[in-house]
């Protein structure tokens, strides 16, 4: 996989600003690498939450339509089946929130 953010150090260009000592340059590079790693982890977390949200929305809509169909006009059955679909939606929302912590 190609790098999304080009890394000048890998292209033979130093990232160490002029006037930095060697140890300061190494510290800077460590700090930059740590930030890049945090960004990659954050991006993966957001992508995972998006996948869970999309799946939860799809399944919630499917369950809502199925509740309507299965109730066959019976209001008491509809209320019970809607409760089940709503409970699923709450669980899916909890999982999305958990992933974004």
């Amino acid at each position: 996989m190609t790098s999304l953010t080009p890394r000048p150090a890998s292209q033979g260009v130093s990232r160490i600003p002029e006037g930095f000592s060697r140890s300061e340059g190494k510290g800077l590079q460590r700090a930059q690498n740590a930030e890049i790693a945090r960004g990659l982890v954050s991006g993966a977390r957001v992508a995972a939450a998006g996948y869970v949200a999309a799946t939860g929305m799809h399944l919630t809509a499917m369950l809502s339509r199925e509740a309507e169909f299965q109730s066959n006009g019976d209001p008491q059955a509809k209320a019970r089946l809607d409760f089940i679909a709503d409970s699923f939606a709450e669980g899916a929302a909890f999982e999305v929130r958990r992933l974004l912590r």
Side-chain angles (χ1 to χ4, degrees), residues 28-94:
L28 175 62
Q29 194 166 20
R30 261 193 303 280
Q32 288 172 334
N33 287 342
E35 287 301 314
I36 290 169
R38 275 192 282 280
L40 291 171
V41 169
S42 294
R45 187 174 288 125
V46 168
Y51 179 79
V52 171
T55 302
M57 289 179 357
H58 172 78
L59 293 174
T60 299
M62 178 196 65
L63 290 169
S64 295
R65 287 190 302 271
E66 188 64 19
E68 179 71 35
F69 174 74
Q70 292 293 332
S71 67
N72 198 26
D74 181 349
Q76 190 174 16
K78 175 103 171 73
R80 289 177 176 154
L81 294 171
D82 282 344
F83 175 76
I84 294 169
D86 291 344
S87 296
F88 175 85
E90 288 174 14
F94 174 80

